[in-house]
Each structure stands twice: as C-alpha cells, then as structure tokens.
Amino acid sequence: MLIHQLPLVAPAFLSIAAIAGFLKPGRRPGPTLKLIEAAAIAAIAVAVISTVVLVGHGAGTSPLIGGSGVGLSVRLDAVSNTMLLLVSFIGWVVVRYAVTYLDGEARQGAFMGWLCLTLASVLMLVLAGNLVQLVVAWISTSLFLHRLLLFYPARVAARRAARKKFVTARIGDVALIGAVVILIVQYRTADFATILNAARAGAGDGLALWAASLLALAALLKSAQFPTHGWLTEVMEAPTPVSALLHAGVINAGGFLLIRFAEVMLLAPGVLAFLIMAGGFTAIFGGLVMLTQPAVKTSLAWSTVAQMGFMILECGLALFPMALLHIVAHSLYKAHAFLASGGAVERVAAIRRPGPVAVPKAGAVARAFLAALALYVAVGFAFGFQHKSPQAIALGAILIFGVAYLLAQGFADAAPTALTRWTAGYAVATSVGYFALQVFASWLTSGVLPAAPAPGPLEWALIVLAVVSFGLVAIVQAMFPLWAYHPAAAGLRVHLSNGFYANAVFDRLLGGWSVRDAA
C-alpha cells in the first residue's frame, strides 16, 4: 500500500538535515542546528502518524521504489513501528543534547551531519521491506558510526576502538550478505513478507540452516558479544552523545535482525542453542566485569555488553517478543544513563540511605532466594503461570534472581526496617511487572512474531544450565561482601576489572596497538 511508504519521510528529513550540517561543518553553525532539531522532531511526528496508519490499515509492505527487487520498500508492522518510535525519540533526545554538549567544538556542524546520517540509516534498517535495502542500511549505519567514533582522531584509544569496530563490522557485513544471498536463492525473492510467510509454513531446506547461521554471526558481531566486545568498552573515548546514540538501534541492531528473521531462525534449532550459550556467557561475563569498573561510563559500557548478551539469550530461547521489549526498555534506560553520567557521582553521593550498609549472611541469602521464588510462583499463577512456555518461565526465574539479590540486603540482620520494606516492595513490583509486560509484548506482536516452540532435549538442558548459572552468579554476588577482603578475592577483582584480558588478546590479534592508519 502506498500509505505504508509514509515512514520513509523520517529518514529523508534527517538526510536533508545532514547535508545542511556538512555545508556548515564548523563551530556553532547557527540556524543549521535548528534545522537539524526540527528534522528530528519531524521524524517523531512521522513515527506517531505511522502508528495511526498501522492501527487503521494493519501491517503491510509498501510497493518497491525501484526494480528487479532492488530499491526502497517499507515493512510496517508491530516490530518495525516499535523500532521507528524508539529510534526517532532517542534520536531527538541525542540531537538536543549534542547541540549543547558540542557547543564551541571546531567541527560541530560535521558531527551533527554524521549523527543525522547515522539515525537516517538506522531508520532505513528497521523499516526495510526487502533484503537489499536491509544490507545497504546495515553497512551504512556502521560506516557513519565509524566517523563519529573518530570525532577526536588524536586520541589513540579512540582510534584503536574504531579500528576494532571497523574490522568486526566488516566481518559481520560479509556474514549478512552471505545470508541474504542464500535467502534469495532459497525463496526466489528479496521481499521480507514473502520470505517470512514461506519460512513460517516450514519451507526451507539445508540452505535455511546456513542462512540462520550467518544471520546469527552477523547479530553477534553487531551487538558486541564476547570476544569482540572490546570496542564497546572503549566507547567513552568518543563524545557522550555517541554512547547514547548506540542505543538507538545501533548496538542492538543484532537483536533486531534476529527478531525480524524469527521464522527463519526457528528453522535452525541448533543455531538458537548456540545463541543461548553465546548470549548467556556474555551476559554473565559482562555483568561480573561491570561490578569492578571504577569509571561510570566504563561500567555502563560493560553493562551494555551484558544486556546485549541477555537480549541474544532471549532470541536463542525463541522469546522474540520479550527480546523486542528488552530492546525498548534497555535503550531508554541506558541512553538516559549515558547522557546523565556526568553528574552520576554527585547524585549517588546525595542519596539518603535508610541506615548502615547491610551485609547479608548465608541464612539471609537463602531466605531471600526462597522468598523471591515463592513470590514469583504466586504472581505467576495469577497471570496464568501454568500456561506459559518453559522458556518464558525460565527467563522469569533468571530475572527474579536479581530481585533476590536485593531482598538479601533487606533480610540482613543489620538491615533497617525501611530497607526491608523497600526491597519487599521492589520484589513485588518486579514480579508483577515482568508478567504484565510479557502479556503486553505477546499481545502487541501477536501474528507478527512466532511463539516459542516446545523445547527439545538440548533446549531443556540449556534452559536448566542457564537458570542454574545465573542463580549461582546471583548467590555469589549477594555473598561477595562476606569474602570481599580475602586475598583471593582481591586477585579475582583485578582479573575481572581487566575482563580476563580477552580484549587485550583481541587487540594483539588485530595488531590493535598499532593505530597509525586507523583514521
């Protein structure tokens, strides 16, 4: 339908604004900044109108602007519209922040131009209705981001991070192009709707397995999964708006790719199993390293590594609606966290705590985990717990371990009453919120994303392994204050703070210490 082409207006506005930025690339480009912000606001307006179109006319794919399967088309459905709203909103916030943050910089206009082009490319990516457009937007997003990462080219660390990102991105590009070629050969079309409908019907032979494998590889590389996560942990060398921009469909584009090709991924259970292992390990690894980082932005970057791992884990469990919800929630939270990182220390210092730090002992930790699981089961049955898929139940159990970690502090002997009440209220709110959001995400994507299939023996083994692993990590974190000053713990903290040196090894493999030509 022609009306489904409306979302293309958003990236068009941003592209025009980018040209204006490049025409005045220097310090304080004046009216150009107002034009860029107006384009960002217009993108939000287009996203809202597109939502109305989706509700009124239903999902659909616009006619192709081009020929022979090559050109522009829009796939407007619950997935693309959600990402359109998310990217346009965060993009507007980042643009407004960057105007002030970069005030007085010698290349302010050029930065705003590359920022607008990156946002326009992300919008073209999430709106893509055909495979060729997807590939072009995927590669363009990475190349434009590369220019932003090198905004301060004199910084050696920035050049090293940009080089690592460039190399891993190009490998991911090759993987995605390979997957696209296989899909076109397999299904004789580049149209998303035709491919997904055929895959939903079970069409696909061994080629579909290869396509799913390459899609998974592209997603893992795009979302900075272990061991290619190093560039993301060094992202603080770029301006702060770039860190926030990453969460507008850039770093989480890997998850979007898996969600968009959900039907194809379900044809390869072995690939989904690998995603569970890769994402789960990255989530645990990143979460532990995050706790040892002294700098706010570095800690946030490691948190993003962990969150992207959890998003990949959700896709591996075939919980695609929950993965989409995760992208939205994490993007909004983390973009705000990066933009507010400058005053984080002062805000934390100003918090009035209800009493002394409460160190839970083994008994308090045990009671906290039992209470959290009991609450989870009780709330779960109220939301039809018995009708949920095993994958969704396991995911909720993993999330409730985080609640148990907080409850343990409230159950400690030295914990003040106010802290106990606060942690109990948080536990109830989290449990109710998880099931309520799960119901909402499933309803929103009903008919668009497939439901999780019944797990086989391998999937059951991985589900149990994931639950046990995250549970053990939560217990160790809760009891860490009891042995934090042991000499062995001090050594472990040093190794964790360096990410067990995986990034240094990756640097050596890429020759990352030599960055003469990285720019």
Side-chain angles (χ1 to χ4, degrees):
M1 297 176 62
L2 288 175
I3 196 171
H4 287 120
Q5 291 178 337
L6 172 66
L8 290 175
V9 175
F13 280 149
L14 289 169
S15 298
I16 294 172
I19 295 174
F22 294 136
L23 290 176
K24 290 190 175 181
R27 182 182 290 108
R28 297 192 177 100
T32 299
L33 296 178
K34 294 183 178 180
L35 174 63
I36 291 175
E37 185 174 350
I41 295 174
I44 296 178
V46 171
V48 173
I49 296 173
S50 297
T51 304
V52 176
V53 171
L54 177 62
V55 173
H57 296 270
T61 303
S62 70
L64 181 70
I65 304 176
S68 302
V70 179
L72 301 179
S73 62
V74 173
R75 175 63 184 170
L76 186 62
D77 57 19
V79 174
S80 61
N81 194 77
T82 298
M83 294 299 296
L84 174 62
L85 289 167
L86 175 69
V87 173
S88 59
F89 174 72
I90 293 181
W92 168 66
V93 173
V94 172
V95 165
R96 280 187 59 87
Y97 185 92
V99 168
T100 302
Y101 183 90
L102 292 167
D103 184 52
E105 288 280 354
R107 296 186 299 119
Q108 183 181 10
F111 179 93
M112 300 302 293
W114 291 117
L115 174 61
C116 288
L117 279 183
T118 304
L119 287 171
S121 297
V122 175
L123 291 177
M124 294 298 292
L125 171 67
V126 300
L127 293 171
N130 66 86
L131 296 177
V132 177
Q133 178 182 337
L134 176 79
V135 170
V136 173
W138 178 278
I139 297 175
S140 299
T141 300
S142 177
L143 294 178
F144 296 147
L145 175 66
H146 186 74
R147 304 300 304 179
L148 294 174
L149 293 177
L150 288 173
F151 184 70
Y152 296 125
R155 296 182 178 181
V156 175
R159 299 204 306 272
R160 185 167 60 241
R163 181 176 184 177
K164 284 186 287 189
K165 172 65 173 66
F166 188 86
V167 172
T168 56
R170 298 296 74 78
I171 299 174
D173 295 345
V174 172
L176 180 60
I177 292 173
V180 164
V181 171
I182 292 174
L183 290 172
I184 292 176
V185 171
Q186 172 67 43
Y187 296 104
R188 306 292 182 182
T189 181
D191 179 66
F192 269 137
T194 305
I195 293 173
L196 297 180
N197 288 335
R200 186 179 293 113
D205 51 24
L207 288 178
L209 172 62
W210 283 105
S213 300
L214 290 173
L215 288 171
L217 176 60
L220 292 173
L221 292 171
K222 192 74 166 184
S223 294
Q225 296 298 280
F226 181 91
T228 61
H229 58 276
W231 71 269
L232 181 58
T233 62
E234 298 171 359
V235 76
M236 76 292 299
E237 295 298 330
T240 295
V242 178
S243 302
L245 175 67
L246 288 174
H247 298 84
V250 179
I251 187 64
N252 41 34
F256 169 78
L257 183 71
L258 297 174
I259 294 170
R260 174 51 81 200
F261 287 99
E263 289 83 355
V264 176
M265 301 305 299
L266 289 180
L267 297 176
V271 176
L272 292 178
F274 177 76
L275 290 176
I276 294 175
M277 293 184 286
F281 177 82
T282 303
I284 292 175
F285 173 74
L288 290 175
V289 175
M290 175 196 70
L291 299 176
T292 64
Q293 300 304 306
V296 174
K297 288 184 66 176
T298 307
S299 180
L300 289 174
W302 276 103
S303 172
T304 296
V305 171
Q307 291 289 343
M308 292 302 97
F310 203 77
M311 175 192 66
I312 295 295
L313 169 69
E314 291 168 325
C315 291
L317 292 171
L319 297 174
F320 298 106
M322 293 303 296
L324 180 62
L325 177 64
H326 190 164
I327 288 177
V328 174
H330 175 257
S331 296
L332 294 173
Y333 155 71
K334 194 57 67 67
H336 171 269
F338 269 109
L339 295 180
S341 60
V345 175
E346 290 79 4
R347 287 191 299 274
V348 171
I351 295 176
R352 295 187 60 185
R353 293 171 175 80
V357 176
V359 178
K361 297 181 180 179
V365 172
R367 292 194 301 273
F369 274 78
L370 289 175
L373 289 174
L375 176 63
Y376 175 62
V377 172
V379 175
F381 272 108
F383 279 88
F385 188 81
Q386 62 275 23
H387 302 300
K388 301 294 183 183
S389 67
Q391 294 94 322
I393 295 173
L395 182 67
I398 292 173
L399 294 176
I400 209 67
F401 290 147
V403 175
Y405 169 75
L406 291 178
L407 277 177
Q409 300 177 52
F411 285 2
D413 296 336
T417 304
L419 179 61
T420 304
R421 286 199 302 264
W422 181 83
T423 54
Y426 182 84
V428 174
T430 301
S431 300
V432 173
Y434 169 72
F435 283 106
L437 290 174
Q438 184 188 78
V439 170
F440 172 74
S442 299
W443 168 80
L444 180 66
T445 59
S446 177
V448 178
L449 294 178
L458 175 60
E459 288 76 15
W460 271 114
L462 290 174
I463 288 173
V464 172
L465 176 62
V467 172
V468 172
S469 299
F470 279 94
L472 289 176
V473 169
I475 292 173
V476 169
Q477 288 181 336
M479 300 187 66
F480 183 77
L482 296 177
W483 48 276
Y485 298 101
H486 190 279
L492 178 61
R493 186 184 295 111
V494 172
H495 298 315
L496 276 174
S497 65
N498 288 280
F500 288 106
Y501 314 101
N503 190 30
V505 173
F506 192 61
D507 275 331
R508 288 295 182 91
L509 291 175
L510 294 181
W513 300 119
S514 175
V515 292
R516 294 187 302 272
D517 302 322

